[in-house]
Amino acid sequence: MGHPFPLREIARQAGLSEATVDRVLNGRGGVRASTAQEVHRAIADLDRQRTQVRLVGRTFMVDIVMQAPERFSTAVRAALEAELPSLHPAVLRSRFHFRETAQAAELVRILDRIARRGSQGVILKAPDVPEVTAAVGRLAAAGIPVVTLVTDLPASARVGYVGIDDRAAGATAAYLMGQWLGDRPGHVLTSLSSGFFRNEEEREMGFRAVMRARHPERALVEITEGQGLDATQYDLVRAALARDPEIRAVYSIGGGNIATLRAFADVGRACAVFVAHDLDHDNTRLLREHRLSAVLHHDLRQDLRQACRLVMRAHGTLPPAGPTLPSAIQVVTPYNMPTAAPA
């Protein structure tokens, strides 16, 4: 494939040796297919970050490691790359390590590989499990600052967390749910992608606390481990609807909303209120079609800008600052969609 980038830049972006990149580009063989894919992804990343490659200044190479559905990781990539030019005169470049599903061991391997080859920082969305916390400690010991994004690892050596106050978000969802359901009967389905993500756990706790206090008569039916993926979410929702004929509303903490709505339609049930999180491309379309009641959203560009500044501050490039405040929670309906919402 043709490209305008020097071999050393491709190697740096891919985190591989120049010799390996040269073998891939010249079709010499002896390279695993996954390694060849890394090279081609690096060229695609460089093409999107072309402006950054041409800038001159202190360069920070930041690795973004995330376990999340493709729709969310795509939104994060777009938000970060939109923010990179605004951080000049520092030059930030990014490498992406995205997994829709992963065992903790795979995420640990990615983090340990970054620790060995070097990086100026890691922005991390990962489950709160001891193995990942230990890997963050090894990154810190190697002088690589870690910023947690969207979901925190509070017992780790991370330098900061960027995201919303998730308990407040869950409480907000409960308030909306109670207002919109009113006196109509019905149980509420709460859907988590996984019980190992702290942000989802805290949203669920905030939601449950307010519902218990304000609407103790309503039963909450929880499903989890759908990973936010439509393929797995559909079966979980269908099973829940079969078990409980009184489910009439949904608080979607972890995603998979297209599948959730399809499950309701396939059993001939209406969903009276549906509150979800994040204006990714799926939720934007569903909200425009009035199939979601509201989406609790936060400005990903602002979050990524703050995360990059925390990395720069850890290297002494920016002066010290006070604690990072939670991102603002936006209640988005079909009538107040942000102008920058995904198509």
Side-chain angles (χ1 to χ4, degrees):
M1 60 187 295
H3 60 83
F5 306 110
L7 194 67
R8 66 179 180 277
E9 288 293 349
I10 301 171
R12 185 181 187 199
Q13 187 72 30
L16 300 168
S17 70
E18 292 186 26
T20 299
V21 172
D22 183 67
R23 285 200 299 274
V24 171
L25 295 180
N26 291 287
R28 295 199 179 96
V31 179
R32 292 193 302 270
S34 59
T35 302
Q37 290 172 358
E38 288 183 37
V39 172
H40 296 311
R41 278 197 298 268
I43 293 171
D45 289 343
L46 285 168
D47 195 52
R48 286 194 307 274
Q49 300 174 39
R50 188 185 295 261
T51 301
Q52 298 300 106
V53 175
R54 292 172 176 169
L55 291 175
V56 176
R58 182 171 179 184
T59 299
F60 294 84
M61 181 65 79
V62 178
D63 289 271
I64 320 303
V65 182
M66 293 181 56
Q67 181 183 334
E70 178 274 335
R71 61 181 179 273
F72 187 72
S73 57
T74 296
V76 168
R77 183 198 295 266
L80 176 61
E81 291 181 342
E83 280 301 309
L84 292 182
S86 71
L87 298 165
H88 193 64
V91 180
L92 268 83
R93 300 253 302 278
S94 52
R95 296 183 291 224
F96 300 96
H97 315 267
F98 293 157
R99 300 291 187 274
E100 284 204 307
T101 60
Q103 298 294 323
E106 182 179 0
L107 295 174
V108 168
R109 282 194 295 272
I110 293 170
L111 296 174
D112 285 344
R113 181 183 174 196
I114 293 169
R116 288 192 300 271
R117 77 182 181 196
S119 176
Q120 276 70 55
V122 171
I123 298 174
L124 177 63
K125 179 186 180 295
D128 186 8
V129 295
E131 305 96 298
V132 174
T133 295
V136 171
R138 292 190 289 274
L139 285 163
I144 300 172
V146 177
V147 177
T148 51
L149 176 71
V150 177
T151 184
D152 199 10
L153 303 172
S156 73
R158 54 91 166 128
V159 299
Y161 160 71
V162 176
I164 60 175
D165 179 333
D166 287 294
R167 290 204 188 207
T172 301
Y175 173 78
L176 296 173
M177 186 69 68
Q179 292 291 105
W180 288 337
L181 277 179
D183 295 330
R184 288 177 289 176
H187 300 166
V188 179
L189 182 70
T190 62
S191 171
L192 293 82
S193 72
S194 172
F196 293 105
F197 287 105
R198 178 170 288 269
N199 66 326
E200 295 191 15
E201 180 183 52
E202 293 190 347
R203 289 173 188 178
E204 194 275 339
M205 288 190 288
F207 184 81
R208 188 174 293 275
V210 171
M211 291 297 290
R212 186 184 300 118
R214 296 174 63 91
H215 309 284
E217 74 285 357
R218 293 203 185 275
L220 304 183
V221 181
E222 180 181 310
I223 59 173
T224 188
E225 304 310 318
Q227 306 302 321
L229 304 177
D230 289 332
T232 47
Q233 181 75 1
Y234 179 83
D235 291 337
L236 290 171
V237 177
R238 277 294 296 261
L241 293 175
R243 290 192 303 268
D244 190 335
E246 299 304 316
I247 294 174
R248 292 289 182 270
V250 175
Y251 174 37
S252 176
I253 299 170
N257 300 325
I258 289 176
T260 298
L261 287 165
R262 181 161 55 90
F264 269 85
D266 287 352
V267 299
R269 300 256 290 274
C271 183
V273 180
F274 197 133
V275 179
H277 280 271
D278 302 316
L279 274 182
D280 55 42
H281 49 75
D282 283 357
N283 286 344
T284 297
R285 177 169 64 83
L286 293 173
L287 195 60
R288 284 179 173 144
E289 294 171 353
H290 291 244
R291 298 173 69 193
L292 300 181
S293 307
V295 171
L296 302 182
H297 182 60
H298 53 108
D299 187 340
L300 274 178
R301 286 188 59 169
Q302 178 180 318
D303 287 351
L304 270 300
R305 186 188 321 133
Q306 183 64 35
C308 290
R309 286 176 174 166
L310 285 172
V311 169
M312 296 164 67
R313 194 166 287 123
H315 288 283
T317 305
L318 294 177
T324 304
L325 298 176
S327 306
I329 302 168
Q330 305 171 25
V331 179
V332 183
T333 73
Y335 301 101
N336 68 332
M337 301 277 287
T339 55

